[in-house]
Amino acid sequence: MDEMAVPASGRTRIFSGVKPTGHLTLGNYLGAVRGWVEEDQHRADALFCVVDLHALTVEHDPARVRRLTRQAATLLLASGLDPEVCTVFVQSRVDEHARLSYLMECTASDGEMRRMIQYKEKTAREQARGGSVRLSLLTYPALMAADILAYGAHEVPVGEDQAQHVELTRDLAIRFNQRYGATFVVPKATLPKVAARVMDLQEPTSKMGKSHDRTAGIVYLLDEPEVVRKKVMRAVTDGGSEVVYDRAERPGLANLLDVLAACTGGDPERLAGAYDSYGALKKDVAEAVVETLRPVRERHAALAAEPAYVDEVLGRGAERARGMARPRVDAAYRAMGLLA
Ligand code: AMP
Ligand code: TRP
């Protein structure tokens, strides 16, 4: 690997992102954001991005995307990302992402893009509604690879649903380096030990996703405590009355145990043994979630009243990110034969 593979600081570099397609959920928080806050930003040279270009891959309302982008950035800060320690920014403010994405499209094959689970699922859903699928939904992983590779990130902390995209990013980095010379760091996904896939409380066989139409099974970071309690108490559980941890046979129950474990630092199997009724478990889950989200809601309220501060953080973040991405993206242009 050439010297560009090593970040100037000599530290591990981390990149991750969140799409402003809806309000952030408990799944986003436990699966990704909390790890960024508690560990990643302190142990590495880390960048966290609100990936607004990715929000344009599905039907969108411009004013809503703008609002959600600001809200997501505010929530990342409210969750505890510290702009003095890591870089927080908005993707569309740094041109290198789109510049490198095109080179990734010229590195990837049509077939490997079409094999992405998320593409297949979203396409099927859209077609069932009689809608059309944007071309950018297919090329989405090229942009995501660009996000990661532009910064020479070694690690990409994500929830389980993104592991396949990071795997593809690895393949593209390896292929590019083989064809055109060592340019990119080959990154790897890092997943949380528990709650890598938080499930919808009403439909525990599907992921808790922020853009679902039915919201009864989705806990949003900004839900009022009473709303959180109601959603948890009404969570679908499985037949039977014994509290056991079995993801395949008892997905609803396993999900509640995972959430409790993630919020309290316990182990889901061991926690199962501590309960003899669903009701008692749900009550503890509800309180654990309320307490986990309380500081985030409070800090969000304070930060939302200071939009100029958030703007200033995002402005600084974008500038720093640009400086980090530019040399590597330029090198990739030259390596591919462009007179950059
Ligand atoms: P997204 O909302 O798709 O932009 O996701 C942002 C981050 O949150 C990614 O790392 C996802 O893998 C993670 N994430 C989203 N939903 C969940 C979930 N239900 N459980 C665990 N992680 C999730
Ligand atoms: N595709 C990710 C998601 O839906 C968001 C994302 C875009 C991302 N670019 C990224 C995550 C780069 C990690 C690294 O959640």
Side-chain angles (χ1 to χ4, degrees):
M1 228 7 67
D2 66 1
E3 63 187 294
M4 297 232 326
V6 182
S9 60
R11 294 170 86 194
T12 301
R13 187 165 282 177
I14 288 183
F15 183 96
S16 200
V18 59
K19 277 192 315 274
T21 44
H23 300 285
L24 263 63
T25 71
L26 184 65
N28 293 130
Y29 187 73
L30 297 180
V33 177
R34 198 176 58 162
W36 306 349
V37 168
E38 290 180 0
E39 289 181 29
D40 299 326
Q41 68 172 344
H42 301 296
R43 71 184 174 83
D45 182 11
L47 297 106
F48 302 104
C49 186
V50 181
V51 289
D52 54 347
L53 296 172
H54 280 93
L56 311 189
T57 55
V58 290
E59 229 180 271
H60 77 285
D61 166 28
R64 183 163 188 265
V65 168
R66 205 173 292 127
R67 214 168 43 239
L68 289 171
T69 299
R70 173 172 289 282
Q71 191 194 60
T74 308
L75 270 170
L76 292 184
L77 300 176
S79 298
L81 286 185
D82 177 354
E84 302 305 322
V85 169
C86 65
T87 303
V88 182
F89 69 107
V90 172
Q91 185 188 32
S92 62
R93 297 231 180 121
V94 180
D95 292 342
E96 314 314 315
H97 296 250
R99 274 183 81 213
L100 183 56
S101 178
Y102 180 69
L103 302 195
M104 290 297 120
E105 286 179 27
C106 298
T107 305
S109 75
D110 177 70
E112 66 192 343
M113 291 285 170
R114 286 183 200 281
R115 276 198 294 278
M116 292 295 109
I117 294 164
Q118 199 171 70
Y119 172 71
K120 289 201 268 192
E121 284 178 355
K122 287 194 179 174
T123 304
R125 224 181 297 148
E126 203 46 55
Q127 280 165 350
R129 278 197 213 142
S132 70
V133 173
R134 295 183 181 183
L135 178 58
S136 54
L137 189 65
L138 177 63
T139 57
Y140 178 120
L143 178 58
M144 178 160 164
D147 298 339
I148 297 165
L149 299 182
Y151 297 95
H154 303 85
E155 293 179 22
V156 187
V158 285
E160 198 176 81
D161 62 315
Q162 295 304 316
Q164 193 188 29
H165 290 155
V166 180
E167 202 50 45
L168 176 61
T169 302
R170 285 175 66 82
D171 293 344
L172 297 180
I174 292 168
R175 192 176 309 154
F176 191 103
N177 289 346
Q178 277 169 352
R179 282 188 189 158
Y180 310 111
T183 308
F184 296 120
V185 173
V186 180
K188 66 169 197 282
T190 53
L191 308 187
K193 280 192 233 27
V194 270
R197 190 174 179 81
V198 177
M199 307 309 264
D200 188 292
L201 298 177
Q202 288 298 316
E203 223 180 293
T205 48
S206 17
K207 178 188 87 159
M208 184 183 284
K210 60 170 122 64
S211 35
H212 287 184
D213 304 333
R214 291 191 317 131
T215 58
I218 305 170
V219 174
Y220 295 101
L221 295 195
L222 294 178
D223 277 347
E224 302 281 339
E226 264 325 296
V227 175
V228 173
R229 290 192 184 99
K230 207 176 287 169
K231 285 176 175 173
V232 173
M233 294 311 288
R234 290 185 185 159
V236 167
T237 36
D238 324 281
S241 55
E242 224 183 314
V243 180
V244 289
Y245 184 73
D246 183 342
R247 278 203 136 215
E249 297 297 323
R250 314 279 285 278
L253 198 53
N255 190 40
L256 291 174
L257 289 162
D258 278 341
V259 168
L260 183 61
C263 291
T264 60
D267 169 80
E269 268 178 75
R270 202 156 328 132
L271 282 170
Y275 290 92
D276 49 19
S277 83
Y278 287 2
L281 171 65
K282 282 181 172 176
K283 231 166 148 219
D284 282 3
V285 173
E287 289 319 308
V289 174
V290 166
E291 287 315 311
T292 300
L293 300 186
R294 185 186 305 284
V296 179
R297 282 182 66 240
E298 288 173 358
R299 281 196 297 256
H300 178 270
L303 284 167
E306 275 192 90
Y309 168 73
V310 176
D311 274 346
E312 186 258 320
V313 166
L314 295 178
R316 255 194 295 147
E319 202 171 317
R320 200 150 51 181
R322 249 178 246 129
M324 289 193 228
R326 182 92 207 201
R328 187 175 270 96
V329 175
D330 280 349
Y333 266 67
R334 287 193 295 271
M336 264 190 119
L338 301 166
L339 293 183

